Amino acid sequence: MKTRVLVLGAGFGGLELTTRLSEALGDEAGVTLIDQEEGFIFGFSKLDVMFGHQKPEAVRHLYRDIVKPGVTFKQETITAIDPTARRVTTDKDVYETELLVVALGADYAPEATPGLLEGGNEFYSVAGAERVSQVLEGFDSGVALIAVLGPFFKCPPAPYEAAMLLHDYLQAKGAAGNVTIRVITPMPAPVPISEDISQGIVAGLKERGIEYWPSTKVTSLDAERRVALLEDEREIPYDLFLGIPVHVAPPVVEESGLTEEGWIPVSTDNFSTRFEGVYAIGDVTSAPVPRAGVFAEGEAAVLAEHLLAKLRGGDEPDGYNGAAVCYVEFGSGQVGKANVNFLGGPKPVGRFSPPSEETTEEKAEFGAARRRRWFGHQV
Ligand SMILES: Cc1cc2nc3c(=O)[nH]c(=O)nc-3n(C[C@H](O)[C@H](O)[C@H](O)COP(=O)(O)OP(=O)(O)OC[C@H]3O[C@@H](n4cnc5c(N)ncnc54)[C@H](O)[C@@H]3O)c2cc1C
């Protein structure tokens, strides 16, 4: 099948890009969007699933609801990408395209941490979050370890959000006094580029009696003895282990020859790769910004401008400034905010806004605006 623009992956990046191309080009857009799933789930909704507040069906936004001029959605699994020929094979078809965009996100490799699959849990996938919601029902005393297992991961505040929401959950059960929550991370601070944001998050942990162990790495679990082994050879006992697994590019991307050191290198001017007519945005790239939906979305905006300049003429984008707002859950419905800018100045900067009612409403509107914009949902 021939198409003008082929977008692989309907996550934050792919959805924003196709929306922009459709808005600008209408029926002429000629975009095909492919994803293996039947719907999109916001990363932050996984925390709702994890704590039993929502079922996945309730937070899944179905791709069949996408009605955008010039955009065709296909629910197919991509099995091969040839970036030189710009040819993509799926379980159902073969596509050739003028412009190819890879927005396939990051996968997880729980097996990279010995013992995690046998002795621990992850909550970063929907299935993992669902499993944790069941495990939590029977957990009301002991030590809960929340550990970051790789050098980087999606949504830097998420481990701390999980810790504060766990505190909330246990308090509602009357079990908070019987549980020690401990967050262990190889990073020196929650958001190393900003002392202000890091202090805001660490203060939130402290207020709730949550232990914070920075610059500490869990290397494996002994599932039988229920201990986590640290890089410095210490052993930390646990009753509940919640790991943020090592992240990897999806295998089909790794096999395509697009990656270097595991991820796709891109120019932050226009998100081109080293292959002519092939672009990449979001978590699958090694762009020098954190892995988060708000960055994937900002990158999509820059790429849309570049593709529009190519397809119908017009100005090239100024390049990506890496500016974004990330919302941080503190529990009890309180939401704080981190304003960051990674590429707009001589060095990355960030500012923290403590939880407020206004920010809680802002986050709700953040989700609602994207549901309207991407899916036409009015609630
Ligand atoms: C617990 C948690 C909380 C988070 N909270 C936030 C937050 O508050 N704010 C925020 O901005 N970000 C948050 N994130 C991060 C955010 O979800 C991701 O960074 C973001 O979704 C990345 O966008 P993307 O477009 O690069 O990839 P994704 O959104 O992951 O989309 C990739 C798509 O590619 C598809 N795909 C992959 N392989 C194939 C294949 N072979 N064939 C077909 N389709 C395929 C997948 O099904 C997926 O739909 C959170 C993440 C987690 C886990």
Side-chain angles (χ1 to χ4, degrees):
M1 182 176 165
K2 267 229 179 270
T3 179
R4 211 151 60 131
V5 185
L6 183 60
V7 181
L8 310 183
F12 256 93
L15 287 167
E16 180 62 20
L17 177 68
T18 47
T19 300
R20 284 179 182 257
L21 293 177
S22 172
E23 278 171 355
L25 300 171
D27 288 334
E28 304 299 305
V31 175
T32 302
L33 172 64
I34 306 180
D35 202 290
Q36 64 201 357
E37 299 292 337
E38 66 167 338
F40 170 76
I41 292 186
F42 284 101
F44 52 72
S45 296
K46 292 174 190 165
L47 297 171
D48 292 327
V49 172
M50 171 181 177
F51 292 104
H53 303 315
Q54 294 283 6
K55 289 277 172 216
E57 310 80 78
V59 289
R60 184 175 288 119
H61 308 292
L62 298 177
Y63 292 129
R64 66 163 182 249
D65 293 348
I66 299 177
V67 186
K68 300 233 170 277
V71 177
T72 307
F73 175 76
K74 301 274 183 181
Q75 187 182 350
E76 295 174 16
T77 298
I78 296 148
T79 54
I81 303 169
D82 178 341
T84 310
R86 292 194 294 277
R87 186 183 306 119
V88 171
T89 309
T90 72
D91 54 348
K92 298 203 181 110
D93 216 334
V94 176
Y95 297 82
E96 287 184 359
T97 185
E98 201 178 316
L99 300 164
L100 175 63
V101 180
V102 183
L104 290 169
D107 270 5
Y108 309 122
E111 67 286 356
T113 305
L116 176 60
L117 288 168
E118 301 81 9
N121 305 276
E122 60 81 18
F123 57 93
Y124 259 50
S125 68
V126 178
E130 247 188 317
R131 270 192 302 273
V132 171
S133 74
Q134 284 155 20
V135 172
L136 282 176
E137 281 176 18
F139 177 70
D140 46 24
S141 66
V143 175
L145 284 193
I146 299 178
V148 173
L149 302 168
F152 51 80
F153 52 95
K154 295 182 193 184
C155 191
Y160 312 100
E161 295 181 288
M164 291 190 273
L165 292 168
L166 177 59
H167 172 80
D168 241 24
Y169 175 90
L170 293 168
Q171 221 167 21
K173 269 212 225 185
N178 307 330
V179 176
T180 300
I181 306 175
R182 187 172 285 154
V183 184
I184 299 186
T185 171
M187 290 164 73
V191 179
I193 61 138
S194 166
E195 215 180 306
D196 190 33
I197 300 171
S198 293
Q199 272 177 7
I201 293 175
V202 172
L205 298 177
K206 209 170 163 190
E207 264 168 39
R208 291 159 181 80
I210 297 168
E211 290 184 20
Y212 173 54
W213 294 22
S215 304
T216 308
K217 186 161 188 238
V218 171
T219 50
S220 61
L221 305 188
D222 183 330
E224 239 167 68
R225 292 193 297 130
R226 297 194 83 71
V227 293
L229 290 101
L230 303 187
E231 201 167 36
D232 61 14
E233 294 182 358
R234 272 180 297 165
E235 292 189 348
I236 310 294
Y238 66 83
D239 299 284
L240 172 70
F241 188 92
L242 302 173
I244 288 88
V246 170
H247 287 33
V248 290
V252 70
V253 176
E254 187 73 53
E255 287 153 15
S256 71
L258 275 159
T259 59
E260 272 173 30
E261 294 178 18
W263 305 98
I264 306 179
V266 285
S267 150
T268 52
D269 291 340
N270 55 22
F271 294 93
S272 53
T273 68
R274 63 194 169 85
F275 293 90
E276 182 69 32
V278 182
Y279 301 85
I281 50 173
D283 289 353
V284 75
T285 76
S286 52
V289 291
R291 307 306 210 261
V294 284
F295 295 102
E297 193 181 288
E299 294 174 9
V302 173
L303 174 56
E305 230 180 298
H306 170 72
L307 296 182
L308 289 171
K310 246 179 133 59
L311 291 168
R312 65 164 189 202
D315 293 338
E316 279 291 335
D318 289 337
Y320 183 47
N321 65 5
V325 174
C326 300
Y327 298 101
V328 186
E329 292 283 347
F330 278 73
S332 321
Q334 296 181 66
V335 180
K337 187 161 74 168
N339 276 75
V340 291
N341 188 321
F342 275 79
L343 305 171
K347 63 178 179 86
V349 288
R351 190 167 35 83
F352 179 67
S353 308
S356 70
E357 244 173 64
E358 199 188 330
T359 310
T360 305
E361 280 167 24
E362 231 181 78
K363 182 180 174 184
E365 177 50 26
F366 172 89
R370 278 140 191 88
R371 290 196 297 275
R372 281 195 299 272
R373 187 170 155 66
W374 296 339
F375 297 95
H377 295 171
Q378 292 311 315
V379 285

